Amino acid sequence: VLEKLELISSEDGGATVLSDVLKETPKNLTEPCLTALELMKFGQLSGEPFDCAQPDRPFPKEVRYPIAPVAPKVKSMFILCRVMSLVPMRLKNVMWDADVDFDLAAFHALVRCLKRTLRQLVEAALANVLLKDLTRTKLLPRGFMCASPIRDSYPNTPSVLPTFMLPRACMGIVVKYFLDYKGDAASFKDDVQKKFLCCIQPIEDLKTAFFFWQDLRRCVEAIAEPLGAQELCEDMRNASQLLDAQKARLGFA
């Protein structure tokens, strides 16, 4: 699995540029970071609006989805919301009762395809090992692919293998609300809690998402030159200016 994801060299098993940056990522954010880097490989991590799959079937006019080229601020908003939507949120056991974002829904259609593929890759590799010697199944600990978060250590799970569970776009929607918020810093905490009643701790989750953004930016800056990701690096640098300005205004700096 590591070889297929280019995290170790196929020649000597040594570390690669990707594994060097990923190893510095905190454990609870490793999977979102790996997902983002895989999307980058396929050219699907950007701030550009999506194109219609079929030109004769355009997006509904009601969603007012922009068409490329877009203004720099729109591009920055897209990449910020998409990237941070990869971070899971703590939600109450109720249905999502807030807005649904068209761009994030489209982005997560790609994320779901990728994560299903990654999970199948892990399962196939494990099956390949076990079918050669079924006695090895006794070596697997209980819950070795359990994706349920540990109650006192969210979002960590008991799993010893990556599960690549399908995420929801909730964090991206909350980030968009944060970026568009026009009120003052004193009112934001109450307003975001009222807006997203199904979120248990939106402020703490926002801080985690902001940290993830900075960590992914560190990764992209490190691999930009060797892997040709200079354009993404520049887009993230521009988006960070928008994010940092709003964080400072709302007391998150």
Side-chain angles (χ1 to χ4, degrees), residues 136-148 150 157-161 163:
R136 292 175 178 171
T137 57
K138 299 178 181 179
L139 301 176
L140 294 173
R142 184 176 181 180
F144 67 95
M145 287 194 76
C146 176
S148 299
I150 301 172
T157 69
S159 175
V160 295
L161 295 176
T163 57

Side-chain angles (χ1 to χ4, degrees), residues 68-136:
V70 294
K73 182 178 180 180
V74 175
K75 192 174 182 179
S76 294
M77 289 278 289
F78 274 159
I79 194 170
L80 284 166
C81 295
R82 290 174 184 177
V83 166
M84 287 187 270
S85 73
L86 298 174
V87 178
M89 290 193 77
R90 294 199 69 175
L91 302 174
K92 298 175 183 177
N93 192 25
V94 295
M95 292 185 64
W96 180 256
D97 57 355
D99 298 333
V100 176
D101 186 82
F102 183 81
D103 181 76
L104 288 174
F107 177 67
H108 272 255
L110 300 173
V111 174
R112 285 194 294 272
C113 290
L114 172 63
K115 286 215 162 190
R116 286 193 181 102
T117 302
L118 292 174
R119 183 178 177 91
Q120 290 169 0
L121 181 62
V122 172
E123 291 173 345
L126 178 61
N128 181 58
V129 172
L130 296 179
L131 286 174
K132 294 176 181 178
D133 184 358
L134 292 178
T135 61
R136 292 175 178 171

Side-chain angles (χ1 to χ4, degrees):
V1 175
L2 295 177
E3 184 179 325
K4 291 295 183 182
L5 297 181
E6 299 177 340
L7 296 177
I8 60 173
S9 171
S10 59
E11 298 177 356
D12 57 7
T16 64
V17 175
L18 288 173
S19 60
D20 279 341
V21 296
L22 194 60
K23 70 182 181 181
E24 303 298 332
T25 298
K27 179 181 177 181
N28 65 315
L29 296 175
T30 300
E31 188 172 312
C33 190
L34 175 60
T35 302
L37 294 176
E38 288 299 307
L39 288 166
M40 180 199 71
K41 291 180 189 177
F42 291 102
Q44 298 300 328
L45 191 67
S46 72
E48 297 293 342
F50 293 111
D51 296 324
C52 299
Q54 300 177 19
D56 59 334
R57 299 184 64 183
F59 297 131
K61 294 181 180 180
E62 291 77 9
V63 301
R64 299 178 181 177
Y65 194 67
I67 300 175
V70 294
K73 182 178 180 180
V74 175
K75 192 174 182 179
S76 294
M77 289 278 289
F78 274 159
I79 194 170
L80 284 166
C81 295
R82 290 174 184 177
V83 166
M84 287 187 270
S85 73
L86 298 174
V87 178
M89 290 193 77
R90 294 199 69 175
L91 302 174
K92 298 175 183 177
N93 192 25
V94 295
M95 292 185 64
W96 180 256
D97 57 355
D99 298 333
V100 176
D101 186 82
F102 183 81
D103 181 76
L104 288 174
F107 177 67
H108 272 255
L110 300 173
V111 174
R112 285 194 294 272
C113 290
L114 172 63
K115 286 215 162 190
R116 286 193 181 102
T117 302
L118 292 174
R119 183 178 177 91
Q120 290 169 0
L121 181 62
V122 172
E123 291 173 345
L126 178 61
N128 181 58
V129 172
L130 296 179
L131 286 174
K132 294 176 181 178
D133 184 358
L134 292 178
T135 61
R136 292 175 178 171
T137 57
K138 299 178 181 179
L139 301 176
L140 294 173
R142 184 176 181 180
F144 67 95
M145 287 194 76
C146 176
S148 299
I150 301 172
R151 178 173 297 182
D152 299 328
S153 185
Y154 184 90
N156 295 317
T157 69
S159 175
V160 295
L161 295 176
T163 57
F164 297 110
M165 295 301 294
L166 304 183
R168 299 174 67 178
C170 308
M171 190 74 259
I173 295 172
V174 177
V175 168
K176 184 177 181 181
Y177 177 81
F178 170 84
L179 294 172
D180 286 335
Y181 188 74
K182 305 300 183 184
D184 56 45
S187 304
F188 178 74
K189 183 176 181 180
D190 289 337
D191 287 347
V192 72
Q193 192 70 68
K194 292 176 183 177
K195 178 69 174 179
F196 302 100
L197 296 175
C198 53
C199 298
I200 296 177
Q201 49 179 36
I203 298 298
E204 290 76 8
D205 288 343
L206 271 172
K207 292 178 181 178
T208 300
F210 296 155
F211 180 85
F212 172 67
W213 169 265
Q214 294 298 335
D215 189 67
L216 181 63
R217 187 180 169 191
R218 170 191 62 81
C219 294
V220 172
E221 287 179 346
I223 65 178
E225 185 173 346
L227 297 185
Q230 291 93 337
E231 184 176 352
L232 175 60
C233 185
E234 183 63 24
D235 288 346
M236 294 189 73
R237 185 178 296 114
N238 294 335
S240 289
Q241 295 177 4
L242 175 65
L243 176 63
D244 291 343
Q246 186 71 336
K247 284 170 61 179
R249 194 180 75 81
L250 296 180
F252 280 79

